[in-house]
Amino acid sequence: MTEQNPFEMAQKQLDECAAILMLDKDVHELLRHPMRELHVSIPVRMDDGSTRVFQGFRVQYNNALGPTKGGIRFHPAETIDTVRALAAWMTWKCSLLGLPLGGGKGGVICNPKALSETELERLSRAYINQVWQFIGPDKDVPAPDVYTTPQVMAWMMDEYSKLAGRNTFGCITGKPVCIGGSCGREDATARGGMYTIREAAQELGLNLKNATVAIQGYGNAGCNAAFLCKELFGATVVAVSDSKGGAYDKNGLNLESVCGYKAATRSVVDSPHTEVITNEELLELEVDILIAAALENVITERNAGNIKAKLLAELANGPTTPEADKILYENGVHVIPDFLCNAGGVTVSYFEMVQNISMYCWGIEEVYERLDKKMTAAYRSVLDASRGYGINMRQAAYVVAVDRVVEAMRLRGWV
Ligand code: GLU
């Protein structure tokens, strides 16, 4: 079976929503495609003196609600269709959270693990060189995503500032705190997801203190989620995984030990006192909560029927295909859909933009409190729509988000 094209998957999800909302044909058509996209070739001088040319993209999907916003991924399997899908999901994410932002996304086809620190810096700066006139604080504001870090954001902000001839901290978010980053941005995606899990658990009557959790993906979102599940809920994390495989202990993992092992070896596989499991096995474990925090397309019609978790929290973007969605719904698995569950990252990015504009720095408690309010309100609006329309949580999230974008387009006279 061939993998589903993520952009076709995003369009299919939108088509379902268009039918529920009975959208006019022209409105639906406008929302099915990106508003604008840029393809760039990026020459980078390598450490050995040779030059390599990388391919990069920036997609601005829809800016009816405000400047487009969304991360930049550095990944060897990046494609324009993946970036298009991710830019669409950012549009719905910002809308759902009530942020005055549209949706965008960027990507570069590269393997950052095979680049030296200096090559990574030159690639980050060169990407900005190619796209800087296309982005900016009131146009399009990038941020971290898969394999891009606060350090990468710092280089990018510096490059943009040099080209613009002035310090422009607001051109990018997810920066280190001492150069205009926000407190709490580092673990915001995971923390925001935790607030939605808390709400969902209440709904399901699930006691989080006794809950078992499996987490697929051990990047920024997955790793922080593991620690927060323990810290905020006292839940037991029994399995985690990364691109090489997983580590399992039915009595609960020692997260500090797994984390230290990963830092030393670049993988959680074979971490002391754990059993090795595959990513596929992890998804099908007998746990209360499954957190998908890796990449798109991992829960499909092939394995959806084997998922035993009561609650699926999608910290990744696009982990579940529309066919799998139907199976999960029929089997009573409660899904917190991606652009709700992982919206904590962009929400604190938005807080970062507000702080940059006002030259002010909020304390951590203020960030947590505001994030909790936004995530909780978004979760409840989706749950209400799900009940009101008798539709699943993803369709409900779409209904709330798309409706707002359509209203903005109408008020602006686009449709
Ligand atoms: N890359 C993150 C996402 O997919 C954050 C985007 C942002 O902070 O703008 O939501």
Side-chain angles (χ1 to χ4, degrees):
M1 203 182 82
T2 52
E3 262 205 0
Q4 180 144 172
N5 174 320
F7 186 48
E8 284 171 11
M9 178 171 137
Q11 287 184 319
K12 226 184 252 180
Q13 293 168 341
L14 176 73
D15 294 346
E16 280 181 26
C17 170
I20 298 166
L21 285 176
M22 293 189 287
L23 288 186
D24 291 342
K25 231 174 139 230
D26 54 331
V27 176
H28 181 191
E29 190 56 24
L30 189 55
L31 293 177
R32 283 191 104 235
H33 304 280
M35 180 181 77
R36 198 178 290 142
E37 61 187 42
L38 183 66
H39 296 227
V40 291
S41 294
I42 313 164
V44 178
R45 186 66 41 86
M46 307 303 279
D47 290 346
D48 65 4
S50 66
T51 299
R52 262 182 68 189
V53 182
F54 295 88
Q55 299 303 316
F57 316 104
R58 185 74 194 168
V59 173
Q60 296 170 352
Y61 199 86
N62 183 294
N63 67 357
L65 285 169
T68 48
K69 183 88 193 79
I72 300 171
R73 310 202 313 172
F74 283 176
H75 198 274
E78 195 61 283
T79 66
I80 183 62
D81 274 343
T82 315
V83 181
R84 285 178 181 139
L86 290 159
W89 291 326
M90 284 308 303
T91 307
W92 317 136
K93 192 181 305 189
C94 292
S95 171
L96 178 61
L97 269 287
L99 309 179
L101 297 168
K105 201 69 150 202
V108 177
I109 307 171
C110 67
N111 180 5
K113 290 181 189 166
L115 297 176
S116 70
E117 178 89 351
T118 47
E119 288 167 343
L120 190 64
E121 175 174 353
R122 287 195 290 271
L123 174 62
S124 305
R125 290 185 184 276
Y127 177 78
I128 291 300
N129 250 286
Q130 297 294 355
V131 305
W132 79 282
Q133 277 157 320
F134 194 64
I135 63 172
D138 51 8
K139 276 199 240 175
D140 179 17
V141 183
D145 205 289
V146 173
Y147 296 145
T148 48
T149 59
Q151 175 63 75
V152 169
M153 298 305 115
W155 290 323
M156 290 182 167
M157 180 278 285
D158 184 67
E159 192 63 23
Y160 185 98
S161 293
K162 282 181 181 157
L163 290 163
R166 56 185 172 274
N167 268 327
T168 316
F169 283 4
C171 72
I172 206 155
T173 60
K175 301 178 294 290
V177 173
C178 79
I179 46 171
S182 176
C183 290
R185 177 63 184 83
E186 189 72 27
D187 72 355
T189 306
R191 188 174 290 270
M194 293 301 126
Y195 297 144
T196 64
I197 289 176
R198 180 196 63 206
E199 294 303 303
Q202 215 168 32
E203 168 73 18
L204 300 175
L206 183 68
N207 180 354
L208 287 172
K209 219 174 154 44
N210 300 328
T212 51
V213 186
I215 304 177
Q216 192 215 21
Y218 213 64
N220 171 289
C223 177
N224 281 311
F227 281 93
L228 287 172
C229 276
K230 207 170 146 201
E231 183 192 319
L232 300 179
F233 307 140
T236 306
V237 179
V238 295
V240 296
S241 68
D242 55 37
S243 59
K244 300 196 180 78
Y248 174 64
D249 180 346
K250 69 173 186 329
N251 299 316
L253 294 167
N254 178 336
L255 294 175
E256 283 77 15
S257 153
V258 174
C259 208
Y261 187 80
K262 164 108 181 157
T265 66
R266 288 187 149 193
S267 178
V268 299
V269 177
D270 272 331
S271 128
H273 314 296
T274 68
E275 273 175 54
V276 176
I277 53 165
T278 64
N279 266 291
E280 293 70 33
E281 286 166 344
L282 179 142
L283 295 172
E284 297 175 14
L285 282 175
E286 190 100 38
V287 287
D288 297 306
I289 303 172
L290 174 62
I291 301 182
L295 292 172
E296 58 279 359
N297 247 321
V298 294
I299 301 172
T300 67
E301 59 195 320
R302 253 176 311 166
N303 60 359
N306 301 334
I307 288 184
K308 298 170 195 77
K310 300 178 186 73
L311 179 59
L312 167 62
E314 298 181 340
L315 273 186
N317 287 307
T320 308
T321 65
E323 295 72 26
D325 257 335
K326 288 201 183 72
I327 301 170
L328 294 173
Y329 191 54
E330 276 160 23
N331 291 351
V333 179
H334 187 78
V335 178
I336 310 176
D338 52 1
F339 66 80
L340 167 61
C341 190
N342 69 32
V346 73
T347 302
V348 178
S349 274
Y350 161 64
F351 297 163
E352 186 172 325
M353 290 173 73
V354 172
Q355 292 169 77
N356 289 158
I357 289 165
S358 56
M359 296 276 271
Y360 195 73
C361 198
W362 300 350
I364 192 79
E365 289 310 324
E366 181 162 5
V367 171
Y368 289 166
E369 200 179 306
R370 286 177 186 267
L371 176 63
D372 194 346
K373 267 195 198 142
K374 284 251 172 234
M375 296 300 300
T376 303
Y379 181 87
R380 296 206 177 131
S381 69
V382 173
L383 190 66
D384 287 349
S386 160
R387 286 185 180 143
Y389 284 87
I391 52 182
N392 71 37
M393 289 287 281
R394 188 177 326 277
Q395 290 167 326
Y398 263 94
V399 162
V400 177
V402 170
D403 200 36
R404 284 186 191 146
V405 175
V406 171
E407 192 193 353
M409 294 201 304
R410 281 199 204 291
L411 289 167
R412 293 180 71 151
W414 296 2
V415 287

